Amino acid sequence: MGFVRDCDLQRALAYSSYDLAWLTPVVFPLSMSLFTQGISWILLWRERLQTDPSIGVLTGGLLLVETFFGVFCICSCLANFVTRDYVGGETACGFQGWYAGWYVFSQLPMLAAMGIITGQAVRRGSDTLPSPKQCALGVIVVLIAAAFIAALPFLGVSHYSFPKDYCSTDLQDRPYAALFLLDFLFTAGCIAWGPLRVVLGCIPEQNSSRSIDAGADHSQNCLLRIICAAIVALFTWGFTVAAVISVVGLVQGSTCDDPFATSSPVFGLNAIFLHVQQLVNPVLYGVYLRRQLSTEACSVVNVMPKGATSAP
């Protein structure tokens, strides 16, 4: 068996249903996500002086993950749509499986980092955040580790599959099921420690006593809670299906022609949920959370980021 399981490769080569109905749930959100990613990159650059450097580095890392996956994915999807066929055979399936796996296994640690830094910034301010160099090193380690994990089928460990209309790492195969669940549970813990605690009011609002305008301070705290509530909801909604797939995989393993993978809508929903995250994450994390955390981190220690100017 090669890096793509034989039965999955045959299903990919025989697939020919990339029709107009496929545009709405897949290609259109991908196009919109590239637009939101571009806007987020522009705003991150323009507002770099008003952004805490560590928060800016982590935000840039997350945007990098979203952008690379978006570019790779829309190129593959458009090629398949134009030919109404799966283009590229085993090589293309392996590459798509790799970048889809790289996206998942790099996105989750980046979301975990954003969850942790949310709790730190709100509670103690920028003095307790990792340095920009430490954040950059962490981003590089995550990207390299995720690339290695996603490439395991090329090294003879596990395989890529074609569950519905795309190739991916096989989350029903026990090695990948276990790796994903560990990653998912760790990230869920970080989201709970940071954003969820903010939503529940478990993290003291340290900057309230320093605010000149109590009304403005209350408004900022309410906005942060709304952002964090959206983060919790998006994470739960976006990864629960993949977690269910992995649990099923741990229990029964991955088999060829499993109706759960080939006939049910589960894998199609999982792909749509990932694409919706591509659309929302750049704005939610890359714009709103970044701005709010920079404000929170600086207000706790009563300073502005280096080079920043006070708002009029």
Side-chain angles (χ1 to χ4, degrees):
M1 183 179 71
F3 48 84
V4 180
R5 192 168 52 181
D6 292 339
C7 59
D8 290 285
L9 181 59
Q10 293 172 8
R11 189 159 51 245
L13 296 178
Y15 192 81
S16 58
S17 297
Y18 300 103
D19 53 21
L20 288 175
W22 193 67
L23 283 175
T24 301
V26 178
V27 177
F28 180 69
L30 273 174
S31 303
M32 290 300 297
S33 70
L34 290 176
F35 174 77
T36 61
Q37 289 158 18
I39 294 297
S40 299
W41 277 115
I42 292 172
L43 291 177
L44 177 62
W45 174 253
R46 287 182 177 179
E47 299 171 4
R48 63 191 183 280
L49 297 181
Q50 290 75 39
T51 299
D52 181 272
S54 297
I55 295 172
V57 169
L58 291 180
T59 301
L62 179 59
L63 286 177
L64 186 69
V65 171
E66 301 287 353
T67 304
F68 267 79
F69 178 68
V71 171
F72 287 148
C73 199
I74 199 168
C75 289
S76 298
C77 292
L78 287 177
N80 294 340
F81 175 74
V82 169
T83 62
R84 300 296 197 274
D85 198 1
Y86 193 85
V87 178
E90 184 178 24
T91 301
C93 186
F95 177 64
Q96 187 179 41
W98 174 80
Y99 74 68
W102 176 81
Y103 175 63
V104 171
F105 287 105
S106 58
Q107 184 196 44
L108 280 170
M110 291 307 304
L111 296 180
M114 296 301 292
I116 292 173
I117 210 166
T118 296
Q120 288 183 310
V122 174
R123 183 177 178 82
R124 297 179 180 175
S126 59
D127 281 353
T128 62
L129 299 182
S131 69
K133 289 184 179 180
Q134 290 173 325
C135 291
L137 178 61
V139 170
I140 292 172
V141 170
V142 165
L143 298 183
I144 293 175
F148 175 77
I149 292 173
L152 288 177
F154 293 118
L155 304 176
V157 180
S158 191
H159 55 264
Y160 300 115
S161 64
F162 188 86
K164 198 67 176 177
D165 53 14
Y166 60 93
C167 289
S168 67
T169 51
D170 190 356
L171 291 181
Q172 284 190 270
D173 197 33
R174 287 192 174 96
Y176 273 125
L179 285 170
F180 175 82
L181 286 175
L182 287 173
D183 212 351
F184 169 78
L185 292 174
F186 173 75
T187 305
C190 295
I191 295 292
W193 186 84
L196 183 58
R197 291 174 69 213
V198 172
V199 174
L200 298 177
C202 298
I203 300 181
E205 298 172 356
Q206 298 288 342
N207 62 329
S208 58
S209 62
R210 295 179 173 88
S211 176
I212 297 175
D213 189 338
D217 182 66
H218 176 72
S219 176
Q220 289 295 317
N221 289 327
C222 288
L223 178 58
L224 179 61
R225 287 191 178 187
I226 292 172
I227 294 170
C228 288
I231 288 172
V232 173
L234 183 64
F235 174 80
T236 304
W237 180 74
F239 287 101
T240 298
V241 172
V244 170
I245 293 172
S246 298
V247 170
V248 171
L250 279 181
V251 173
Q252 67 179 31
S254 179
T255 58
C256 286
D257 301 321
D258 179 3
F260 180 73
T262 59
S263 302
S264 74
V266 173
F267 280 83
L269 288 174
N270 185 50
I272 292 174
F273 290 167
L274 287 178
H275 291 320
V276 170
Q277 288 197 72
Q278 281 186 279
L279 179 65
V280 178
N281 279 350
V283 177
L284 183 60
Y285 287 91
V287 179
Y288 288 107
L289 184 66
R290 170 183 58 81
R291 288 173 174 174
Q292 199 65 23
L293 288 187
S294 294
T295 300
E296 291 288 333
C298 296
S299 62
V300 171
V301 295
N302 200 26
V303 298
M304 291 293 288
K306 184 178 179 181
T309 58
S310 300

